[in-house]
Amino acid sequence: IKDQIIGDVERAVKRIPGVEVVELEWSAKVRSSRAASNQLPGVKNVIAVGAGKGGVGKSTASVLLAYGLHRSGAKVGLMDADVYGPSIPTMTGFEGSRLEMHDNLLIPPNAGGVKIMSIWFMVERDKPLVWRGPMTHGVVKQFIENVDWGDLDYMIVDLPPGTGDVSLSLSQMVPLTGAVVVCTPQDVALIDARRAVRMFEQLKVPCLGMIENMSYYLCPKCGHRDELFDHGGAKTAAKEMGVPFLGDIPLNVKIRVFGDRGAP
């Protein structure tokens, strides 16, 4: 009912003599779902976004979740923990940024109201990170302990694909509110998505649900619907595993265009 509230407030306030313009600023009162911790003490909820395999739109979902929560009035941070394939700076329009420090803490750039942090800011653009597991663990540790995140209602963490070191490190260092698993509908992707759900269960991290990305395509000219990668697999898998199904995202050229443009 957000649009209805906006309309009601604007009409009511404009009736006051002398008022010509009404601007609304939204805020949100978000409860903390995390156990007490010395790590990220000002962050009420930490939500990991994972996937069993690459290329399913995990980073896209992370960005959409972060900016959706921000637009609801919440204070949001977005940690790019995909060390080998960082893409959050591109998708948020902060590719060229360099980090600043204050009191020996890194200051996360503010990308349209969302605080972001990525290894992208620390390495040359085309330089590959040929690292072993302990080095990726060190990056996640630095992002948690040496970044001034401030007070946040939500921190969204974009994990690397698979069930490896970073997911394990994050769950051991920080009490997580829960995890979201992103997949595409075809069987080969769902096999890996199931493993991701079971990994979070094994790590004692609640699975908040599954998202089916690239679920279908609607032709903008004729409205014909194509299910290029099948459809509904994630919903079925979620039901079988006893986790919520959060919804599906179609193939949509605007998501790609605005992601490449850095305007989520």
Side-chain angles (χ1 to χ4, degrees), residues 1-44:
I1 61 172
K2 187 172 180 180
D3 291 338
Q4 179 183 336
I5 293 172
I6 292 172
D8 290 345
V9 171
E10 288 182 342
R11 283 189 293 273
V13 178
K14 282 184 177 179
R15 294 194 190 105
I16 299 172
V19 173
E20 296 180 358
V21 178
V22 180
E23 294 183 2
L24 273 68
E25 180 177 321
W26 289 83
S27 63
K29 187 175 182 179
V30 179
R31 293 175 297 174
S32 176
S33 300
R34 299 176 61 217
S37 172
N38 293 327
Q39 305 286 26
L40 304 174
V43 180
K44 294 180 180 178

mmCIF file of all heavy atoms in Angstrom, residues 1-44:
data_model
loop_
_atom_site.group_PDB
_atom_site.id
_atom_site.type_symbol
_atom_site.label_atom_id
_atom_site.label_comp_id
_atom_site.label_asym_id
_atom_site.label_seq_id
_atom_site.Cartn_x
_atom_site.Cartn_y
_atom_site.Cartn_z
ATOM 1 N N ILE A 1 0.827 -1.213 0.000
ATOM 2 C CA ILE A 1 0.000 0.000 0.000
ATOM 3 C C ILE A 1 0.865 1.267 0.000
ATOM 4 O O ILE A 1 0.390 2.347 0.326
ATOM 5 C CB ILE A 1 -0.958 0.007 1.217
ATOM 6 C CG1 ILE A 1 -0.175 -0.006 2.533
ATOM 7 C CG2 ILE A 1 -1.945 -1.139 1.141
ATOM 8 C CD1 ILE A 1 -1.046 0.203 3.765
ATOM 9 N N LYS A 2 2.151 1.118 -0.383
ATOM 10 C CA LYS A 2 3.054 2.261 -0.340
ATOM 11 C C LYS A 2 2.561 3.401 -1.241
ATOM 12 O O LYS A 2 2.539 4.572 -0.840
ATOM 13 C CB LYS A 2 4.450 1.821 -0.769
ATOM 14 C CG LYS A 2 5.516 2.886 -0.605
ATOM 15 C CD LYS A 2 6.904 2.316 -0.877
ATOM 16 C CE LYS A 2 7.985 3.351 -0.715
ATOM 17 N NZ LYS A 2 9.328 2.812 -0.964
ATOM 18 N N ASP A 3 2.138 3.076 -2.471
ATOM 19 C CA ASP A 3 1.659 4.114 -3.387
ATOM 20 C C ASP A 3 0.420 4.815 -2.840
ATOM 21 O O ASP A 3 0.246 6.028 -3.011
ATOM 22 C CB ASP A 3 1.362 3.495 -4.760
ATOM 23 C CG ASP A 3 2.621 3.046 -5.478
ATOM 24 O OD1 ASP A 3 3.701 3.559 -5.135
ATOM 25 O OD2 ASP A 3 2.522 2.185 -6.373
ATOM 26 N N GLN A 4 -0.451 4.060 -2.196
ATOM 27 C CA GLN A 4 -1.652 4.651 -1.616
ATOM 28 C C GLN A 4 -1.289 5.624 -0.500
ATOM 29 O O GLN A 4 -1.864 6.721 -0.393
ATOM 30 C CB GLN A 4 -2.558 3.545 -1.070
ATOM 31 C CG GLN A 4 -3.842 4.075 -0.427
ATOM 32 C CD GLN A 4 -4.684 2.962 0.167
ATOM 33 O OE1 GLN A 4 -4.578 1.816 -0.248
ATOM 34 N NE2 GLN A 4 -5.515 3.298 1.145
ATOM 35 N N ILE A 5 -0.325 5.244 0.331
ATOM 36 C CA ILE A 5 0.113 6.124 1.423
ATOM 37 C C ILE A 5 0.697 7.418 0.858
ATOM 38 O O ILE A 5 0.414 8.519 1.348
ATOM 39 C CB ILE A 5 1.148 5.405 2.310
ATOM 40 C CG1 ILE A 5 0.494 4.244 3.045
ATOM 41 C CG2 ILE A 5 1.784 6.379 3.310
ATOM 42 C CD1 ILE A 5 1.462 3.364 3.804
ATOM 43 N N ILE A 6 1.535 7.285 -0.195
ATOM 44 C CA ILE A 6 2.122 8.476 -0.823
ATOM 45 C C ILE A 6 1.027 9.429 -1.296
ATOM 46 O O ILE A 6 1.058 10.638 -1.036
ATOM 47 C CB ILE A 6 3.035 8.072 -1.997
ATOM 48 C CG1 ILE A 6 4.276 7.340 -1.470
ATOM 49 C CG2 ILE A 6 3.444 9.296 -2.821
ATOM 50 C CD1 ILE A 6 5.138 6.748 -2.567
ATOM 51 N N GLY A 7 0.037 8.877 -2.003
ATOM 52 C CA GLY A 7 -1.046 9.715 -2.518
ATOM 53 C C GLY A 7 -1.846 10.381 -1.418
ATOM 54 O O GLY A 7 -2.172 11.575 -1.485
ATOM 55 N N ASP A 8 -2.166 9.616 -0.354
ATOM 56 C CA ASP A 8 -2.952 10.170 0.759
ATOM 57 C C ASP A 8 -2.207 11.299 1.458
ATOM 58 O O ASP A 8 -2.793 12.343 1.791
ATOM 59 C CB ASP A 8 -3.270 9.059 1.774
ATOM 60 C CG ASP A 8 -4.265 8.042 1.228
ATOM 61 O OD1 ASP A 8 -4.905 8.340 0.207
ATOM 62 O OD2 ASP A 8 -4.379 6.949 1.819
ATOM 63 N N VAL A 9 -0.901 11.087 1.700
ATOM 64 C CA VAL A 9 -0.106 12.106 2.395
ATOM 65 C C VAL A 9 0.010 13.367 1.543
ATOM 66 O O VAL A 9 -0.156 14.493 2.036
ATOM 67 C CB VAL A 9 1.285 11.550 2.755
ATOM 68 C CG1 VAL A 9 2.194 12.668 3.271
ATOM 69 C CG2 VAL A 9 1.172 10.452 3.791
ATOM 70 N N GLU A 10 0.305 13.201 0.254
ATOM 71 C CA GLU A 10 0.465 14.374 -0.611
ATOM 72 C C GLU A 10 -0.828 15.187 -0.674
ATOM 73 O O GLU A 10 -0.801 16.422 -0.588
ATOM 74 C CB GLU A 10 0.893 13.927 -2.006
ATOM 75 C CG GLU A 10 2.336 13.440 -2.072
ATOM 76 C CD GLU A 10 2.734 13.041 -3.483
ATOM 77 O OE1 GLU A 10 1.819 12.807 -4.327
ATOM 78 O OE2 GLU A 10 3.946 12.948 -3.741
ATOM 79 N N ARG A 11 -1.949 14.512 -0.837
ATOM 80 C CA ARG A 11 -3.227 15.232 -0.918
ATOM 81 C C ARG A 11 -3.533 15.959 0.396
ATOM 82 O O ARG A 11 -3.972 17.108 0.393
ATOM 83 C CB ARG A 11 -4.358 14.259 -1.260
ATOM 84 C CG ARG A 11 -4.392 13.850 -2.726
ATOM 85 C CD ARG A 11 -5.664 13.077 -3.041
ATOM 86 N NE ARG A 11 -5.684 11.778 -2.364
ATOM 87 C CZ ARG A 11 -5.153 10.675 -2.867
ATOM 88 N NH1 ARG A 11 -4.544 10.714 -4.045
ATOM 89 N NH2 ARG A 11 -5.209 9.532 -2.202
ATOM 90 N N ALA A 12 -3.261 15.299 1.516
ATOM 91 C CA ALA A 12 -3.572 15.908 2.813
ATOM 92 C C ALA A 12 -2.698 17.130 3.095
ATOM 93 O O ALA A 12 -3.182 18.177 3.530
ATOM 94 C CB ALA A 12 -3.398 14.866 3.921
ATOM 95 N N VAL A 13 -1.394 16.996 2.808
ATOM 96 C CA VAL A 13 -0.473 18.084 3.138
ATOM 97 C C VAL A 13 -0.653 19.265 2.188
ATOM 98 O O VAL A 13 -0.511 20.432 2.588
ATOM 99 C CB VAL A 13 0.984 17.578 3.129
ATOM 100 C CG1 VAL A 13 1.959 18.719 3.415
ATOM 101 C CG2 VAL A 13 1.173 16.475 4.160
ATOM 102 N N LYS A 14 -0.978 18.989 0.935
ATOM 103 C CA LYS A 14 -1.161 20.079 -0.034
ATOM 104 C C LYS A 14 -2.399 20.924 0.269
ATOM 105 O O LYS A 14 -2.538 22.029 -0.262
ATOM 106 C CB LYS A 14 -1.234 19.516 -1.452
ATOM 107 C CG LYS A 14 0.128 19.142 -2.013
ATOM 108 C CD LYS A 14 0.024 18.676 -3.462
ATOM 109 C CE LYS A 14 1.407 18.373 -4.023
ATOM 110 N NZ LYS A 14 1.343 17.882 -5.428
ATOM 111 N N ARG A 15 -3.293 20.407 1.105
ATOM 112 C CA ARG A 15 -4.457 21.214 1.485
ATOM 113 C C ARG A 15 -4.073 22.336 2.453
ATOM 114 O O ARG A 15 -4.824 23.282 2.650
ATOM 115 C CB ARG A 15 -5.514 20.318 2.150
ATOM 116 C CG ARG A 15 -6.140 19.289 1.216
ATOM 117 C CD ARG A 15 -7.399 18.687 1.843
ATOM 118 N NE ARG A 15 -7.877 17.553 1.080
ATOM 119 C CZ ARG A 15 -7.726 16.285 1.456
ATOM 120 N NH1 ARG A 15 -7.117 16.019 2.601
ATOM 121 N NH2 ARG A 15 -8.193 15.307 0.712
ATOM 122 N N ILE A 16 -2.916 22.224 3.068
ATOM 123 C CA ILE A 16 -2.471 23.247 4.015
ATOM 124 C C ILE A 16 -2.085 24.504 3.228
ATOM 125 O O ILE A 16 -1.296 24.418 2.283
ATOM 126 C CB ILE A 16 -1.264 22.746 4.830
ATOM 127 C CG1 ILE A 16 -1.657 21.498 5.636
ATOM 128 C CG2 ILE A 16 -0.746 23.842 5.754
ATOM 129 C CD1 ILE A 16 -0.474 20.834 6.324
ATOM 130 N N PRO A 17 -2.623 25.673 3.586
ATOM 131 C CA PRO A 17 -2.305 26.900 2.850
ATOM 132 C C PRO A 17 -0.805 27.169 2.821
ATOM 133 O O PRO A 17 -0.116 27.036 3.843
ATOM 134 C CB PRO A 17 -3.039 27.990 3.652
ATOM 135 C CG PRO A 17 -4.164 27.267 4.337
ATOM 136 C CD PRO A 17 -3.623 25.907 4.663
ATOM 137 N N GLY A 18 -0.292 27.509 1.640
ATOM 138 C CA GLY A 18 1.116 27.855 1.489
ATOM 139 C C GLY A 18 1.996 26.691 1.057
ATOM 140 O O GLY A 18 3.146 26.891 0.660
ATOM 141 N N VAL A 19 1.491 25.455 1.148
ATOM 142 C CA VAL A 19 2.287 24.285 0.748
ATOM 143 C C VAL A 19 2.169 24.074 -0.754
ATOM 144 O O VAL A 19 1.067 23.934 -1.292
ATOM 145 C CB VAL A 19 1.826 23.015 1.498
ATOM 146 C CG1 VAL A 19 2.562 21.785 0.942
ATOM 147 C CG2 VAL A 19 2.070 23.156 2.981
ATOM 148 N N GLU A 20 3.309 24.102 -1.436
ATOM 149 C CA GLU A 20 3.303 23.918 -2.887
ATOM 150 C C GLU A 20 3.910 22.574 -3.304
ATOM 151 O O GLU A 20 3.505 21.973 -4.297
ATOM 152 C CB GLU A 20 4.085 25.055 -3.558
ATOM 153 C CG GLU A 20 3.452 26.430 -3.349
ATOM 154 C CD GLU A 20 4.252 27.525 -4.032
ATOM 155 O OE1 GLU A 20 5.294 27.203 -4.627
ATOM 156 O OE2 GLU A 20 3.823 28.691 -3.966
ATOM 157 N N VAL A 21 4.922 22.127 -2.562
ATOM 158 C CA VAL A 21 5.613 20.885 -2.922
ATOM 159 C C VAL A 21 5.685 19.974 -1.701
ATOM 160 O O VAL A 21 5.931 20.438 -0.589
ATOM 161 C CB VAL A 21 7.052 21.167 -3.443
ATOM 162 C CG1 VAL A 21 7.782 19.854 -3.768
ATOM 163 C CG2 VAL A 21 7.006 22.063 -4.668
ATOM 164 N N VAL A 22 5.446 18.691 -1.918
ATOM 165 C CA VAL A 22 5.537 17.696 -0.846
ATOM 166 C C VAL A 22 6.570 16.642 -1.248
ATOM 167 O O VAL A 22 6.480 16.050 -2.331
ATOM 168 C CB VAL A 22 4.177 17.010 -0.592
ATOM 169 C CG1 VAL A 22 4.319 15.973 0.524
ATOM 170 C CG2 VAL A 22 3.114 18.041 -0.237
ATOM 171 N N GLU A 23 7.563 16.439 -0.397
ATOM 172 C CA GLU A 23 8.553 15.384 -0.635
ATOM 173 C C GLU A 23 8.514 14.401 0.534
ATOM 174 O O GLU A 23 8.578 14.814 1.692
ATOM 175 C CB GLU A 23 9.963 15.975 -0.767
ATOM 176 C CG GLU A 23 10.139 16.859 -1.996
ATOM 177 C CD GLU A 23 11.565 17.378 -2.128
ATOM 178 O OE1 GLU A 23 12.406 17.003 -1.281
ATOM 179 O OE2 GLU A 23 11.821 18.150 -3.059
ATOM 180 N N LEU A 24 8.412 13.120 0.221
ATOM 181 C CA LEU A 24 8.356 12.082 1.257
ATOM 182 C C LEU A 24 9.679 11.350 1.338
ATOM 183 O O LEU A 24 10.261 10.984 0.312
ATOM 184 C CB LEU A 24 7.250 11.068 0.936
ATOM 185 C CG LEU A 24 5.849 11.405 1.443
ATOM 186 C CD1 LEU A 24 5.286 12.598 0.708
ATOM 187 C CD2 LEU A 24 4.937 10.205 1.302
ATOM 188 N N GLU A 25 10.132 11.152 2.557
ATOM 189 C CA GLU A 25 11.338 10.344 2.778
ATOM 190 C C GLU A 25 10.928 9.131 3.604
ATOM 191 O O GLU A 25 10.367 9.260 4.686
ATOM 192 C CB GLU A 25 12.408 11.145 3.512
ATOM 193 C CG GLU A 25 13.686 10.349 3.759
ATOM 194 C CD GLU A 25 14.764 11.190 4.418
ATOM 195 O OE1 GLU A 25 14.911 12.384 4.061
ATOM 196 O OE2 GLU A 25 15.442 10.668 5.314
ATOM 197 N N TRP A 26 11.212 7.940 3.072
ATOM 198 C CA TRP A 26 10.806 6.704 3.726
ATOM 199 C C TRP A 26 11.913 6.168 4.625
ATOM 200 O O TRP A 26 13.090 6.266 4.318
ATOM 201 C CB TRP A 26 10.467 5.645 2.679
ATOM 202 C CG TRP A 26 9.190 5.938 1.956
ATOM 203 C CD1 TRP A 26 9.018 6.764 0.882
ATOM 204 C CD2 TRP A 26 7.893 5.451 2.290
ATOM 205 N NE1 TRP A 26 7.692 6.809 0.526
ATOM 206 C CE2 TRP A 26 6.981 6.011 1.369
ATOM 207 C CE3 TRP A 26 7.420 4.595 3.279
ATOM 208 C CZ2 TRP A 26 5.618 5.728 1.406
ATOM 209 C CZ3 TRP A 26 6.064 4.318 3.311
ATOM 210 C CH2 TRP A 26 5.167 4.881 2.389
ATOM 211 N N SER A 27 11.499 5.572 5.715
ATOM 212 C CA SER A 27 12.439 4.842 6.562
ATOM 213 C C SER A 27 11.757 3.542 6.982
ATOM 214 O O SER A 27 10.562 3.347 6.759
ATOM 215 C CB SER A 27 12.842 5.665 7.790
ATOM 216 O OG SER A 27 11.703 5.907 8.603
ATOM 217 N N ALA A 28 12.554 2.645 7.553
ATOM 218 C CA ALA A 28 11.998 1.361 7.970
ATOM 219 C C ALA A 28 12.543 0.981 9.333
ATOM 220 O O ALA A 28 13.713 1.217 9.624
ATOM 221 C CB ALA A 28 12.365 0.279 6.941
ATOM 222 N N LYS A 29 11.693 0.394 10.162
ATOM 223 C CA LYS A 29 12.127 -0.110 11.455
ATOM 224 C C LYS A 29 12.282 -1.622 11.320
ATOM 225 O O LYS A 29 11.301 -2.362 11.309
ATOM 226 C CB LYS A 29 11.116 0.238 12.550
ATOM 227 C CG LYS A 29 11.603 -0.123 13.953
ATOM 228 C CD LYS A 29 10.617 0.361 15.020
ATOM 229 C CE LYS A 29 11.137 0.035 16.416
ATOM 230 N NZ LYS A 29 10.202 0.509 17.468
ATOM 231 N N VAL A 30 13.522 -2.058 11.181
ATOM 232 C CA VAL A 30 13.810 -3.460 10.900
ATOM 233 C C VAL A 30 14.328 -4.147 12.153
ATOM 234 O O VAL A 30 15.227 -3.638 12.834
ATOM 235 C CB VAL A 30 14.861 -3.575 9.767
ATOM 236 C CG1 VAL A 30 15.183 -5.040 9.491
ATOM 237 C CG2 VAL A 30 14.345 -2.893 8.504
ATOM 238 N N ARG A 31 13.780 -5.306 12.464
ATOM 239 C CA ARG A 31 14.219 -6.068 13.623
ATOM 240 C C ARG A 31 15.504 -6.830 13.292
ATOM 241 O O ARG A 31 15.732 -7.220 12.151
ATOM 242 C CB ARG A 31 13.141 -7.071 14.035
ATOM 243 C CG ARG A 31 11.872 -6.428 14.573
ATOM 244 C CD ARG A 31 10.817 -7.470 14.832
ATOM 245 N NE ARG A 31 10.429 -8.123 13.574
ATOM 246 C CZ ARG A 31 9.594 -9.160 13.516
ATOM 247 N NH1 ARG A 31 9.089 -9.661 14.631
ATOM 248 N NH2 ARG A 31 9.276 -9.692 12.358
ATOM 249 N N SER A 32 16.300 -7.060 14.292
ATOM 250 C CA SER A 32 17.512 -7.858 14.126
ATOM 251 C C SER A 32 17.183 -9.335 14.335
ATOM 252 O O SER A 32 16.489 -9.698 15.285
ATOM 253 C CB SER A 32 18.590 -7.423 15.116
ATOM 254 O OG SER A 32 19.721 -8.269 15.010
ATOM 255 N N SER A 33 17.676 -10.167 13.429
ATOM 256 C CA SER A 33 17.464 -11.613 13.542
ATOM 257 C C SER A 33 18.758 -12.344 13.852
ATOM 258 O O SER A 33 18.821 -13.565 13.769
ATOM 259 C CB SER A 33 16.872 -12.148 12.228
ATOM 260 O OG SER A 33 15.642 -11.535 11.950
ATOM 261 N N ARG A 34 19.813 -11.596 14.193
ATOM 262 C CA ARG A 34 21.115 -12.210 14.422
ATOM 263 C C ARG A 34 21.411 -12.344 15.907
ATOM 264 O O ARG A 34 21.000 -11.517 16.716
ATOM 265 C CB ARG A 34 22.228 -11.378 13.782
ATOM 266 C CG ARG A 34 22.134 -11.224 12.278
ATOM 267 C CD ARG A 34 23.237 -10.304 11.787
ATOM 268 N NE ARG A 34 24.547 -10.854 12.090
ATOM 269 C CZ ARG A 34 25.587 -10.122 12.459
ATOM 270 N NH1 ARG A 34 25.471 -8.819 12.604
ATOM 271 N NH2 ARG A 34 26.748 -10.693 12.703
ATOM 272 N N ALA A 35 22.152 -13.388 16.230
ATOM 273 C CA ALA A 35 22.655 -13.524 17.604
ATOM 274 C C ALA A 35 23.714 -12.454 17.849
ATOM 275 O O ALA A 35 24.336 -11.938 16.912
ATOM 276 C CB ALA A 35 23.243 -14.920 17.793
ATOM 277 N N ALA A 36 23.925 -12.109 19.113
ATOM 278 C CA ALA A 36 24.933 -11.099 19.459
ATOM 279 C C ALA A 36 26.312 -11.549 18.975
ATOM 280 O O ALA A 36 26.684 -12.716 19.098
ATOM 281 C CB ALA A 36 24.940 -10.879 20.958
ATOM 282 N N SER A 37 27.061 -10.599 18.397
ATOM 283 C CA SER A 37 28.374 -10.935 17.847
ATOM 284 C C SER A 37 29.252 -9.702 17.842
ATOM 285 O O SER A 37 28.776 -8.567 17.688
ATOM 286 C CB SER A 37 28.221 -11.479 16.419
ATOM 287 O OG SER A 37 29.476 -11.635 15.802
ATOM 288 N N ASN A 38 30.566 -9.928 18.006
ATOM 289 C CA ASN A 38 31.519 -8.829 17.886
ATOM 290 C C ASN A 38 31.746 -8.438 16.431
ATOM 291 O O ASN A 38 32.267 -7.360 16.154
ATOM 292 C CB ASN A 38 32.854 -9.234 18.520
ATOM 293 C CG ASN A 38 32.743 -9.395 20.032
ATOM 294 O OD1 ASN A 38 31.962 -8.688 20.680
ATOM 295 N ND2 ASN A 38 33.500 -10.326 20.593
ATOM 296 N N GLN A 39 31.380 -9.329 15.507
ATOM 297 C CA GLN A 39 31.543 -9.063 14.088
ATOM 298 C C GLN A 39 30.296 -8.356 13.550
ATOM 299 O O GLN A 39 29.169 -8.798 13.760
ATOM 300 C CB GLN A 39 31.759 -10.371 13.312
ATOM 301 C CG GLN A 39 32.911 -11.218 13.822
ATOM 302 C CD GLN A 39 34.260 -10.618 13.447
ATOM 303 O OE1 GLN A 39 34.408 -9.419 13.243
ATOM 304 N NE2 GLN A 39 35.278 -11.459 13.364
ATOM 305 N N LEU A 40 30.520 -7.249 12.860
ATOM 306 C CA LEU A 40 29.426 -6.470 12.267
ATOM 307 C C LEU A 40 28.344 -6.152 13.307
ATOM 308 O O LEU A 40 27.159 -6.445 13.102
ATOM 309 C CB LEU A 40 28.808 -7.217 11.084
ATOM 310 C CG LEU A 40 29.750 -7.618 9.956
ATOM 311 C CD1 LEU A 40 29.021 -8.483 8.933
ATOM 312 C CD2 LEU A 40 30.343 -6.396 9.274
ATOM 313 N N PRO A 41 28.721 -5.550 14.437
ATOM 314 C CA PRO A 41 27.748 -5.314 15.512
ATOM 315 C C PRO A 41 26.622 -4.369 15.119
ATOM 316 O O PRO A 41 25.543 -4.418 15.712
ATOM 317 C CB PRO A 41 28.611 -4.727 16.629
ATOM 318 C CG PRO A 41 29.793 -4.123 15.942
ATOM 319 C CD PRO A 41 30.066 -5.023 14.764
ATOM 320 N N GLY A 42 26.866 -3.489 14.141
ATOM 321 C CA GLY A 42 25.830 -2.544 13.735
ATOM 322 C C GLY A 42 24.905 -3.060 12.659
ATOM 323 O O GLY A 42 24.010 -2.330 12.204
ATOM 324 N N VAL A 43 25.075 -4.313 12.245
ATOM 325 C CA VAL A 43 24.272 -4.877 11.156
ATOM 326 C C VAL A 43 23.205 -5.792 11.745
ATOM 327 O O VAL A 43 23.521 -6.765 12.439
ATOM 328 C CB VAL A 43 25.158 -5.662 10.164
ATOM 329 C CG1 VAL A 43 24.308 -6.240 9.034
ATOM 330 C CG2 VAL A 43 26.237 -4.751 9.594
ATOM 331 N N LYS A 44 21.950 -5.500 11.472
ATOM 332 C CA LYS A 44 20.852 -6.256 12.073
ATOM 333 C C LYS A 44 20.638 -7.613 11.401
ATOM 334 O O LYS A 44 20.258 -8.581 12.062
ATOM 335 C CB LYS A 44 19.559 -5.437 12.008
ATOM 336 C CG LYS A 44 19.581 -4.176 12.851
ATOM 337 C CD LYS A 44 18.274 -3.420 12.722
ATOM 338 C CE LYS A 44 18.280 -2.150 13.568
ATOM 339 N NZ LYS A 44 17.018 -1.378 13.397
#
